[in-house]
Amino acid sequence: MSDEEDIILADLDDEELVQQMMDDLYDGMREEIEEGVNILLERGWEPYRILTEALVGGMTIVGADFRDGILFVPEVLLAANAMKGGMAILKPLLAETGARTIGKMVIGTVKGDIHDIGKNLVSMMMEGAGFEVIDLGINNAVEAYLEAIAKEQPDILGMSALLTTTMPYMKVVIDTMKDQGIRDDYIVLVGGAPLNEEFGRAIGADAYCRDAAVAVETAKTFIARKHNQAPA
Ligand code: B1M
C-alpha cells in the first residue's frame, strides 16, 4: 500500500496541495486532481490560477520527463486524462466570465497531430472571454479547415501543432487559403509549444500565440482592429 492513500488533500495547505496535485497529475490520478481542483475553488482560488499553476505546471513536469525517456506514452496519456478531469470542472467557470459573443473562432489541431490539451485550453479561455468557438478536434487536413470556415464564417481561424513534424502543415493551410483568395477574409492565429513568433510570420499567420491567455488578448486586439476598419 502506498503512502499516497494516506494523504488527505483537504488537510494540506495551498502550497502543499498544489505540489501534491502536480504529483497526482504525474501519476495520472484523475479523481485526486478533480478533488484538488474542487478544494482550491472552495478556498477561493480563481479558476485561471488553478489551471496555470496546478494543471499546466504539472503537465510541464510530465513533458520534461517524457522528453527524457522517464515517462512513456501510456503514462502521459493517463496524465492527460487527469488533466482533462480538472479542466472539465474549470471550463464552465471560465466560461461564466464572458458576457456576450464578441467574435467567432474555428480552431483545430493540424493533420498528423493528436495533441489536444493546449487547443482545448485555448478554446475554453476564448469561450470564457466571450468568443463562440467551433472546435474541429485533432488531425485536421486542409479540407476540414476550409469546409469549416466556409460553413461557419468565423472571424478567426486558429491552428494548433505540438510536433516539429506537423507544424509546417499550418503553411499548407494558409497557402491554400491564399490560392483560393480567401486568406485575408480571416484572422489566422497559430500556437503550440514548438512554434515561435518568427515561425508564425514566416508561414503568413497574423500572429503566434504563446499561450491561451495571449491567444485571448491577441484575438481581442485583432477583432477590435477589424471593427475599427469596418465601413460605417
Ligand atoms: Co506528445 N510530444 N507525442 N503526447 N506530448 C510532446 C509535444 C513532446 C514535446 C514531448 C517531448 O519529447 N518532450 C514531443 C514532441 C517533440 C518534437 O516534436 N520535437 C512529443 C512526441 C514526440 C509525441 C509522440 C511522437 C510520441 C510517440 O508516439 N513516440 C506522439 C505523437 C502523436 C501524434 O500527435 N501523432 C505523442 C503523443 C502524446 C500523447 C498522446 C501521449 C499525449 C497527448 C494527449 C492529448 O493531447 N490528448 C502527449 C502529451 C501529453 C505531450 C506533452 C507531454 C504535453 C503536451 C501538453 O498537453 N501540454 C508534450 C510535452 C510538452 O509540450 N511539454 C508532448 C500542456 C498544454 C497546456 O500546453 O499544448 O503547449 P500546449 O498548449 C499551450 C500553448 O502551446 C498554446 O496555448 C496552450 C495553453 O497555454 N497553444 C495555442 C497550443 N495550441 C494553440 C493554438 C492556438 C493558440 C495557442 O491557436 C490560436
Side-chain angles (χ1 to χ4, degrees):
M1 203 173 277
S2 74
D3 290 347
E4 199 71 54
E5 287 166 55
D6 301 322
I7 296 170
I8 313 273
L9 294 181
D11 289 348
L12 303 178
D13 67 28
D14 286 8
E15 199 180 320
E16 291 165 342
L17 178 56
V18 168
Q19 189 53 54
Q20 184 60 41
M21 285 172 71
M22 287 181 172
D23 291 349
D24 288 344
L25 190 85
Y26 191 95
D27 293 333
M29 297 166 77
R30 183 174 174 133
E31 280 176 24
E32 284 75 3
I33 288 297
E34 289 166 348
E35 190 186 341
V37 166
N38 283 324
I39 293 170
L40 288 174
L41 284 171
E42 278 162 23
R43 291 184 188 173
W45 277 48
E46 292 293 329
Y48 183 65
R49 186 174 170 209
I50 301 173
L51 198 58
T52 49
E53 291 187 24
L55 302 185
V56 176
M59 192 50 96
T60 305
I61 302 168
V62 171
D65 281 2
F66 188 30
R67 178 196 59 218
D68 297 341
I70 297 165
L71 288 180
F72 296 95
V73 171
E75 290 135 333
V76 179
L77 271 177
L78 282 176
N81 182 45
M83 174 137 183
K84 285 183 177 181
M87 281 165 64
I89 298 170
L90 297 173
K91 182 174 177 175
L93 304 173
L94 286 164
E96 264 173 24
T97 54
R100 62 197 169 87
T101 300
I102 56 173
K104 189 172 181 180
M105 177 173 80
V106 162
I107 189 169
T109 302
V110 297
K111 186 175 167 183
D113 201 320
I114 63 167
H115 295 86
D116 69 353
I117 295 176
K119 168 190 65 62
N120 294 348
L121 208 50
V122 172
S123 298
M124 277 166 53
M125 297 283 295
M126 291 288 288
E127 281 176 356
F131 285 86
E132 182 185 351
V133 177
I134 314 294
D135 188 339
L136 305 180
I138 55 172
N139 195 21
N140 284 287
V142 61
E143 294 79 13
Y145 287 112
L146 294 182
E147 201 178 301
I149 56 177
K151 178 168 172 248
E152 302 292 345
Q153 289 299 310
D155 304 286
I156 303 168
L157 172 64
M159 290 188 276
S160 179
L162 264 286
L163 299 172
T164 45
T165 49
T166 58
M167 57 192 245
Y169 196 78
M170 293 174 165
K171 184 169 185 315
V172 174
V173 178
I174 294 174
D175 284 351
T176 310
M177 290 168 78
K178 282 183 187 160
D179 291 346
Q180 298 195 356
I182 57 168
R183 164 64 187 90
D184 293 336
D185 298 345
Y186 304 95
I187 299 158
V188 179
L189 303 182
V190 295
L195 280 62
N196 57 32
E197 265 186 63
E198 197 187 342
F199 175 80
R201 258 196 310 274
I203 62 168
D206 287 299
Y208 153 73
C209 308
R210 189 184 64 240
D211 58 31
V214 171
V216 168
E217 285 318 307
T218 310
K220 282 184 181 169
T221 305
F222 274 94
I223 291 284
R225 215 179 280 172
K226 184 175 165 181
H227 288 166
N228 288 340
Q229 283 168 357

PDB file of all heavy atoms in Angstrom, residues 60 63-64 84 110 131 135 154-155 190 199 227-228 230:
ATOM      1  N   THR A  60       3.874  20.411 -17.361  1.00  0.00           N
ATOM      2  CA  THR A  60       5.222  20.796 -17.795  1.00  0.00           C
ATOM      3  C   THR A  60       6.255  19.786 -17.287  1.00  0.00           C
ATOM      4  O   THR A  60       7.186  19.401 -18.007  1.00  0.00           O
ATOM      5  CB  THR A  60       5.558  22.211 -17.264  1.00  0.00           C
ATOM      6  OG1 THR A  60       4.525  23.089 -17.694  1.00  0.00           O
ATOM      7  CG2 THR A  60       6.885  22.716 -17.799  1.00  0.00           C
ATOM      8  N   GLY A  63       5.960  16.676 -19.292  1.00  0.00           N
ATOM      9  CA  GLY A  63       6.578  16.873 -20.603  1.00  0.00           C
ATOM     10  C   GLY A  63       8.089  16.695 -20.552  1.00  0.00           C
ATOM     11  O   GLY A  63       8.674  16.064 -21.439  1.00  0.00           O
ATOM     12  N   ALA A  64       8.709  17.217 -19.507  1.00  0.00           N
ATOM     13  CA  ALA A  64      10.168  17.118 -19.396  1.00  0.00           C
ATOM     14  C   ALA A  64      10.590  15.653 -19.234  1.00  0.00           C
ATOM     15  O   ALA A  64      11.544  15.190 -19.869  1.00  0.00           O
ATOM     16  CB  ALA A  64      10.643  17.950 -18.214  1.00  0.00           C
ATOM     17  N   LYS A  84      -7.514  16.508 -18.050  1.00  0.00           N
ATOM     18  CA  LYS A  84      -8.821  16.787 -18.646  1.00  0.00           C
ATOM     19  C   LYS A  84      -9.925  16.765 -17.585  1.00  0.00           C
ATOM     20  O   LYS A  84     -10.903  17.510 -17.679  1.00  0.00           O
ATOM     21  CB  LYS A  84      -9.115  15.793 -19.765  1.00  0.00           C
ATOM     22  CG  LYS A  84      -8.319  16.106 -21.023  1.00  0.00           C
ATOM     23  CD  LYS A  84      -8.651  15.181 -22.176  1.00  0.00           C
ATOM     24  CE  LYS A  84      -7.875  15.604 -23.421  1.00  0.00           C
ATOM     25  NZ  LYS A  84      -8.157  14.761 -24.589  1.00  0.00           N
ATOM     26  N   VAL A 110      -3.625  20.426 -36.267  1.00  0.00           N
ATOM     27  CA  VAL A 110      -3.359  20.107 -37.678  1.00  0.00           C
ATOM     28  C   VAL A 110      -3.178  18.613 -37.949  1.00  0.00           C
ATOM     29  O   VAL A 110      -2.936  17.816 -37.031  1.00  0.00           O
ATOM     30  CB  VAL A 110      -2.122  20.858 -38.221  1.00  0.00           C
ATOM     31  CG1 VAL A 110      -2.325  22.353 -38.199  1.00  0.00           C
ATOM     32  CG2 VAL A 110      -0.863  20.446 -37.467  1.00  0.00           C
ATOM     33  N   PHE A 131     -15.998  34.568 -26.747  1.00  0.00           N
ATOM     34  CA  PHE A 131     -15.981  34.154 -28.152  1.00  0.00           C
ATOM     35  C   PHE A 131     -16.809  32.882 -28.327  1.00  0.00           C
ATOM     36  O   PHE A 131     -16.882  32.045 -27.421  1.00  0.00           O
ATOM     37  CB  PHE A 131     -14.547  33.854 -28.618  1.00  0.00           C
ATOM     38  CG  PHE A 131     -13.718  35.083 -28.848  1.00  0.00           C
ATOM     39  CD1 PHE A 131     -13.029  35.688 -27.796  1.00  0.00           C
ATOM     40  CD2 PHE A 131     -13.637  35.642 -30.108  1.00  0.00           C
ATOM     41  CE1 PHE A 131     -12.272  36.827 -27.998  1.00  0.00           C
ATOM     42  CE2 PHE A 131     -12.879  36.788 -30.319  1.00  0.00           C
ATOM     43  CZ  PHE A 131     -12.197  37.380 -29.270  1.00  0.00           C
ATOM     44  N   ASP A 135     -14.840  23.925 -32.375  1.00  0.00           N
ATOM     45  CA  ASP A 135     -13.629  23.120 -32.185  1.00  0.00           C
ATOM     46  C   ASP A 135     -13.660  21.918 -33.122  1.00  0.00           C
ATOM     47  O   ASP A 135     -14.517  21.044 -32.999  1.00  0.00           O
ATOM     48  CB  ASP A 135     -13.550  22.673 -30.724  1.00  0.00           C
ATOM     49  CG  ASP A 135     -12.214  22.004 -30.397  1.00  0.00           C
ATOM     50  OD1 ASP A 135     -11.531  21.541 -31.325  1.00  0.00           O
ATOM     51  OD2 ASP A 135     -11.878  21.950 -29.203  1.00  0.00           O
ATOM     52  N   PRO A 154     -16.210  32.239 -39.539  1.00  0.00           N
ATOM     53  CA  PRO A 154     -15.678  32.814 -38.293  1.00  0.00           C
ATOM     54  C   PRO A 154     -14.876  34.090 -38.563  1.00  0.00           C
ATOM     55  O   PRO A 154     -14.532  34.377 -39.723  1.00  0.00           O
ATOM     56  CB  PRO A 154     -14.741  31.705 -37.803  1.00  0.00           C
ATOM     57  CG  PRO A 154     -14.211  31.099 -39.072  1.00  0.00           C
ATOM     58  CD  PRO A 154     -15.368  31.149 -40.055  1.00  0.00           C
ATOM     59  N   ASP A 155     -14.562  34.812 -37.506  1.00  0.00           N
ATOM     60  CA  ASP A 155     -13.625  35.930 -37.633  1.00  0.00           C
ATOM     61  C   ASP A 155     -12.200  35.388 -37.658  1.00  0.00           C
ATOM     62  O   ASP A 155     -11.322  35.941 -38.300  1.00  0.00           O
ATOM     63  CB  ASP A 155     -13.762  36.874 -36.425  1.00  0.00           C
ATOM     64  CG  ASP A 155     -15.185  37.361 -36.255  1.00  0.00           C
ATOM     65  OD1 ASP A 155     -15.593  38.202 -37.061  1.00  0.00           O
ATOM     66  OD2 ASP A 155     -15.888  36.858 -35.349  1.00  0.00           O
ATOM     67  N   VAL A 190      -1.940  31.172 -34.722  1.00  0.00           N
ATOM     68  CA  VAL A 190      -1.358  29.839 -34.558  1.00  0.00           C
ATOM     69  C   VAL A 190      -0.692  29.729 -33.192  1.00  0.00           C
ATOM     70  O   VAL A 190      -0.283  30.723 -32.609  1.00  0.00           O
ATOM     71  CB  VAL A 190      -0.331  29.531 -35.674  1.00  0.00           C
ATOM     72  CG1 VAL A 190      -1.001  29.448 -37.037  1.00  0.00           C
ATOM     73  CG2 VAL A 190       0.817  30.541 -35.697  1.00  0.00           C
ATOM     74  N   PHE A 199       8.339  31.861 -36.697  1.00  0.00           N
ATOM     75  CA  PHE A 199       7.662  30.835 -37.496  1.00  0.00           C
ATOM     76  C   PHE A 199       6.288  31.347 -37.938  1.00  0.00           C
ATOM     77  O   PHE A 199       5.895  31.192 -39.097  1.00  0.00           O
ATOM     78  CB  PHE A 199       7.527  29.539 -36.683  1.00  0.00           C
ATOM     79  CG  PHE A 199       6.742  28.470 -37.394  1.00  0.00           C
ATOM     80  CD1 PHE A 199       7.327  27.689 -38.379  1.00  0.00           C
ATOM     81  CD2 PHE A 199       5.403  28.258 -37.088  1.00  0.00           C
ATOM     82  CE1 PHE A 199       6.596  26.721 -39.049  1.00  0.00           C
ATOM     83  CE2 PHE A 199       4.660  27.287 -37.750  1.00  0.00           C
ATOM     84  CZ  PHE A 199       5.264  26.512 -38.741  1.00  0.00           C
ATOM     85  N   HIS A 227     -13.106  45.742 -36.379  1.00  0.00           N
ATOM     86  CA  HIS A 227     -14.306  46.573 -36.231  1.00  0.00           C
ATOM     87  C   HIS A 227     -14.015  48.032 -36.559  1.00  0.00           C
ATOM     88  O   HIS A 227     -14.827  48.722 -37.144  1.00  0.00           O
ATOM     89  CB  HIS A 227     -14.875  46.430 -34.820  1.00  0.00           C
ATOM     90  CG  HIS A 227     -15.516  45.092 -34.606  1.00  0.00           C
ATOM     91  ND1 HIS A 227     -15.840  44.608 -33.379  1.00  0.00           N
ATOM     92  CD2 HIS A 227     -15.862  44.122 -35.493  1.00  0.00           C
ATOM     93  CE1 HIS A 227     -16.372  43.392 -33.505  1.00  0.00           C
ATOM     94  NE2 HIS A 227     -16.386  43.087 -34.780  1.00  0.00           N
ATOM     95  N   ASN A 228     -12.806  48.481 -36.184  1.00  0.00           N
ATOM     96  CA  ASN A 228     -12.443  49.868 -36.484  1.00  0.00           C
ATOM     97  C   ASN A 228     -12.306  50.107 -37.981  1.00  0.00           C
ATOM     98  O   ASN A 228     -12.545  51.202 -38.468  1.00  0.00           O
ATOM     99  CB  ASN A 228     -11.119  50.235 -35.805  1.00  0.00           C
ATOM    100  CG  ASN A 228     -11.315  50.373 -34.311  1.00  0.00           C
ATOM    101  OD1 ASN A 228     -12.440  50.564 -33.848  1.00  0.00           O
ATOM    102  ND2 ASN A 228     -10.231  50.268 -33.554  1.00  0.00           N
ATOM    103  N   ALA A 230     -14.021  48.432 -40.270  1.00  0.00           N
ATOM    104  CA  ALA A 230     -15.265  48.151 -40.987  1.00  0.00           C
ATOM    105  C   ALA A 230     -15.920  49.444 -41.445  1.00  0.00           C
ATOM    106  O   ALA A 230     -15.910  50.445 -40.726  1.00  0.00           O
ATOM    107  CB  ALA A 230     -16.224  47.392 -40.069  1.00  0.00           C
TER     108      ALA A 230
END
